């Protein structure tokens, strides 16, 4: 498989520019006099957020700002999983108020007027820190991209419930995923104006949320290496989501959007980026977001880059469906490797398959909605299946390759219903 930092061709499975464009001089005019380590400690500009009362019947999650109505979300610790069976009325884009939330700690409420991005490290020509304000970022040429973001652990609970294999981590079903229209500046433009050196190999973007503490160990703020090759390709510094400023829970004022890669790469509440001529690491690339287990190398795989392939029904597990009438079954399918080519469904546990109708033009970094009519005749339990084949020829397997932390579940989902 090609290296995941080069995503342009299909790979096998395992708006308008702003007229005022500041040059490098504008980005360098606020060069810090102190060393990078002295400037980074004070980047946070507001106190941590507290969960806002969301009204009668709303769910509560520590540190999530937006409302979490139970018909749209399942709270999982500090996270909120979107109800995949409720996506049927959301259209191709996932509204911000329906988008899943993955927090290691709590959502910081930051003021865009006080925000700045610090770029530093030996991978810059000038070696000293370069600062970029929110206004300067918005003055750069902008791009708008529809990109799906998916947690690396999406589908994790299915390792246990479907394959009988134990895993650790948040027990996501299929709702740790969403697609939005993101607007922002190209990370490549920012890096070039900041003076990225030719021998730079890795970036280390870091968020402004609170340090993550687990088991008495302070792991620091969320940060994860990103190869320069990927950063210069299609990554954006996003400040808008679906035509509006980023909501607090989704990275306000600025976040990374890293197309086709696992969600942890799209760092929210971006505060600084180290640019290095040497490979970088963090607990999010050494302890987590690698594949461990008997099917993987001793000591674990390389850090996960690209996401994988999935499809599912927009229908509650265990739903009751009436016999003798036509039901319009709907779902979504996506692949991080290539656009969707086709979706097939089975209403008899995999004995027979037939094509579903696609309702969207397949595109890279997005999903398609699909549907199929079904008239069940016999009452009793039925297992519904769906599987995607993408333009690179990847098809969902019957079983996912197990890893102890439950990442990258890609198997055909066995969806139980009862015909009554």
């Amino acid at each position: 498989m090609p290296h995941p930092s080069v995503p342009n061709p299909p790979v096998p499975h395992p708006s308008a520019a702003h007229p005022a464009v500041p040059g490098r001089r504008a980005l360098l005019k606020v060069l810090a006099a102190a060393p990078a380590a002295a400037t980074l400690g004070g980047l946070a500009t507001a106190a941590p957020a507290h969960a806002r009362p969301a009204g009668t019947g709303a769910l509560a999650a520590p540190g999530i700002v937006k409302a979490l109505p139970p018909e749209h979300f399942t709270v999982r610790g500090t996270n909120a999983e979107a109800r995949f069976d409720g996506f049927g009325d959301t259209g191709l884009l996932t509204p911000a108020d329906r988008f899943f939330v993955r927090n290691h700690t709590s959502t910081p409420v930051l003021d865009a007027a006080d925000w700045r991005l610090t770029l530093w490290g030996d991978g810059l020509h000038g070696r000293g820190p370069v600062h970029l304000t929110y206004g300067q970022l918005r003055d750069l040429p902008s791009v708008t991209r529809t990109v799906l973001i998916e947690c690396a652990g999406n589908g994790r609970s299915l390792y246990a419930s479907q394959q009988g294999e134990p895993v650790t981590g948040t027990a996501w079903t299929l709702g740790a995923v969403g697609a939005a229209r993101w607007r922002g500046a190209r990370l490549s433009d920012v890096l070039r104006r900041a003076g990225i050196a030719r021998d730079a190999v890795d970036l280390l973007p870091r968020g402004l949320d609170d340090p993550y503490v687990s088991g008495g160990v302070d792991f620091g703020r969320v940060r994860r290496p990103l190869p320069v090759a990927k950063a210069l390709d299609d990554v954006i510094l996003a400040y808008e989501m679906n035509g509006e400023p980023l909501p607090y829970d989704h990275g306000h004022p600025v976040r990374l959007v890293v197309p086709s890669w696992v969600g942890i790469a799209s760092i929210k509440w971006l505060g600084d980026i180290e640019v290095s001529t040497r490979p970088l690491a963090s607990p999010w690339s050494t302890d987590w977001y690698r594949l461990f287990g008997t099917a993987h190398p001793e000591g674990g795989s390389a850090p996960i880059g690209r996401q994988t392939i999935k499809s599912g029904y927009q229908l509650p597990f265990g739903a009751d469906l009436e016999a003798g009438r036509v039901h319009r079954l709907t779902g979504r399918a996506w692949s991080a490797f290539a656009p969707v080519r086709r979706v097939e469904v089975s209403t008899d546990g995999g004995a027979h398959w037939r094509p579903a109708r696609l309702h969207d033009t397949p595109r890279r970094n997005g999903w398609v909605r699909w549907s199929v009519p079904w008239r069940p005749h016999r009452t009793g339990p039925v297992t519904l299946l769906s599987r995607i084949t993408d333009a690179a020829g990847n098809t969902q397997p019957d079983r996912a390759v197990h890893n102890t932390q439950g990442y990258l579940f890609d198997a055909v989902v066995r969806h139980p219903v009862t015909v009554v």
Side-chain angles (χ1 to χ4, degrees), residues 152 202-207 221-227 256 261-267 273-274 280-286 288-290 302-306 407:
D202 261 2
L203 310 181
L204 191 65
R206 180 166 60 163
R221 289 177 170 149
V222 176
R223 61 207 184 279
R224 190 168 193 267
L226 183 68
L256 286 185
W261 276 40
V262 291
I264 186 64
S266 293
I267 297 291
I273 302 175
E274 180 183 357
L280 297 172
S282 84
W284 286 267
S285 65
T286 57
W288 312 299
Y289 301 97
R290 297 169 65 196
I304 300 168
R306 194 182 296 273
Y407 297 126

Side-chain angles (χ1 to χ4, degrees), residues 93-172:
L93 300 180
T94 309
D97 63 357
R98 303 276 289 274
F99 214 94
F100 81 99
V101 179
R102 170 65 173 109
N103 281 358
H104 282 78
T105 56
S106 58
T107 295
V109 176
L110 304 176
D111 188 342
D114 297 329
W115 177 88
R116 68 176 181 176
L117 174 66
T118 299
L119 297 101
W120 61 283
D122 67 0
L124 297 179
H125 286 308
R127 299 294 191 254
V130 176
H131 301 300
L132 180 67
T133 68
Y134 187 76
Q136 288 173 323
L137 181 68
R138 292 195 67 111
D139 280 342
L140 291 171
S142 68
V143 292
T144 301
R145 292 179 178 147
T146 298
V147 173
L148 184 143
I149 291 181
E150 181 180 11
C151 180
N154 195 30
R156 175 183 283 126
S157 66
L158 298 172
Y159 278 106
S161 65
Q162 183 167 300
Q163 300 188 176
E165 296 171 316
V167 293
T168 60
T170 302
W172 304 107

Side-chain angles (χ1 to χ4, degrees), residues 201-212:
V201 297
D202 261 2
L203 310 181
L204 191 65
R206 180 166 60 163
L208 289 170
D209 43 341
D210 288 340
Y212 176 58

